[in-house]
Amino acid sequence: MANEVVLLDAWVSMFGMRARIALAEKCVKYEYVEEDLRNKSPRLLQANPINKKIPVLIHNGKPICESLIIVQYIDEVWTDKPSLLPSDAYQRAQARFWADFIDKKIYDAGRKIWTTKGEEQEAAKKDLIDNLKVLESELGDKPYFGGESFGFLDVALVTYSSWFEAYETVGNFSIEAECPKLIAWVKRCLERESVAKALPESKKVVDFVMGLKQRMGI
Amino acid sequence: MGDQEVKLFSLWASPFGKRVEIALKIKGIKYEYFEEDLSNKSSELLKYNPVHKKLPVLLHNGKPVCESLVILEYIDETWKSERSLLPEDPYARAMARFWAKFIDDKCIAAMWGARKNSEGQEEGIEELTEHLKTLENELKGKKFFGGDEIGLVDITADLIALWLGVLLELKGIELLTKEKFPRLCEWIDDYLDHQIIKETLPDRETYRDFLLKAKF
């Protein structure tokens, strides 16, 4: 059966990057479509009428939304390559728990850093570092969150690293100084082709955020 | 399945905790229940969920699993022989996960919005109405979100079936009516009439009294 795979995405999105990494890990051929988020295409609105967001994976005409759901779908469909999720149910639950933690805690803190000033920004910086430290502690001495192998949780978090320099530039602080082990893990992940190709250069994200701040007047 | 020690730390009034109980009962899993006091969190809770310090927490052979949706998938994957909570097909599974997330992310936020007084409430109600319409559409042609049987999404939607109705009643908001949402109301009736759901969820009066006392 022909496998038609399309990814509606935006280069700067840490959520879109997750889908890109998963597809690359599984060696899936797909059509990448860059969406203009200020002018959403009819295709995107039709594929994700409820949230109207990217990424959306369209597999043989059927849309799948929400990045972590997309990654799990990719893992469950393309089983000829190593699994991204652990084989043990308990380990899988842990991976899902921490992925949920990342999206609840890291995203908001990061966003507040570049959209606020003063006390609010300081609180957001502290929040981000505290939560990254929790994750760093969860990583421990393992090479990857998945243990010996790169997996689901690594995919979930590593994409945020492309935004670290943007947070650091706006917030005037260093994530590496606070979380050296985590940055070492990021560098390890970047040695994988799937990750290196999916993540944009940090400088481009910095420019993007600065441009966005200017347009938004913040 | 041999030595299976299953403990659940929860709150009788929590829709999240009730989800886990429903799932355990559907799967026929024996478990020990521990009622928590949020004003005085037990040392077990703080030990087993140090990150969020929240309920419910499932303890399986001494290992904790937190976050209700994570727990539901864990239960489904660990006790495979009984009825499945999630479909087999990867696309159907992705859809089930999507709807569960939709309920937890969007509907809960809208429910909180509907609680506020003055302007915030109007917006909250508008948002809630939109989300309920979406769920109404999703139910067309199906008895339950899961099809013929209750599945992950129905279990997650326990808060729509019970909590939302009670909340709206207390706030005097006429939203969840048969005229506006015929399919959804039918689903609520079928759901609340289900043997396991009846056994597990608190009854409306008890929950309403609890909310009144808590000055919700």
Side-chain angles (χ1 to χ4, degrees), chain A residues 69 72 76 96, chain B residues 73 93-101:
Chain A
I69 294 176
Q72 287 182 89
E76 289 172 10
R96 287 176 180 138
Chain B
E73 289 218 39
R93 290 164 77 79
M95 288 298 105
R97 286 173 178 143
F98 174 83
W99 288 111
K101 189 173 171 29

Side-chain angles (χ1 to χ4, degrees), chain A residues 2 11 13 44 75-77 91 100 103 152 154 193 202 213:
Chain A
W11 69 270
S13 160
L44 172 59
D75 203 35
E76 289 172 10
V77 170
Q91 294 305 325
D100 174 71
D103 277 352
F152 179 74
D154 302 282
E193 201 182 333
S202 291
K213 277 170 75 69

Side-chain angles (χ1 to χ4, degrees), chain A residues 50-51 62-66 69 72-73 76-77 89-90 92-94 96-98 100-101 104-105, chain B residues 51-52 63-67 70 73-74 77-78 90-91 93-95 97-99 101-102 106 134:
Chain A
I50 292 165
N51 296 328
K62 298 200 283 191
I64 300 110
C65 310
E66 295 299 320
I69 294 176
Q72 287 182 89
Y73 176 80
E76 289 172 10
V77 170
Y90 185 74
R92 267 204 298 282
Q94 293 307 96
R96 287 176 180 138
F97 171 84
W98 286 111
D100 174 71
F101 172 89
K104 281 187 172 125
K105 305 278 187 177
Chain B
V51 175
H52 298 303
K63 297 199 286 192
V65 186
C66 311
E67 290 302 307
V70 175
E73 289 218 39
Y74 175 77
E77 290 173 4
T78 305
Y91 186 74
R93 290 164 77 79
M95 288 298 105
R97 286 173 178 143
F98 174 83
W99 288 111
K101 189 173 171 29
F102 174 80
K106 301 272 187 166
T134 302

Side-chain angles (χ1 to χ4, degrees), chain B residues 197-209:
Chain B
I197 306 299
K198 259 197 295 216
E199 265 175 37
T200 317
L201 293 188
D203 64 79
R204 257 184 106 93
E205 265 84 72
T206 310
Y207 191 65
R208 199 196 305 131
D209 291 343

Side-chain angles (χ1 to χ4, degrees), chain B residues 2 22 26 30 44 56 70-71 91 93 95 97 107 117 144 146 150 155 165 182-183 189 193 199:
Chain B
I22 293 167
I26 289 177
K30 285 194 170 52
E44 273 98 357
V70 175
I71 298 172
Y91 186 74
R93 290 164 77 79
M95 288 298 105
R97 286 173 178 143
C107 297
N117 296 313
F144 295 111
I150 283 177
I155 299 174
R183 264 313 288 125
D189 288 341
D193 200 43
E199 265 175 37

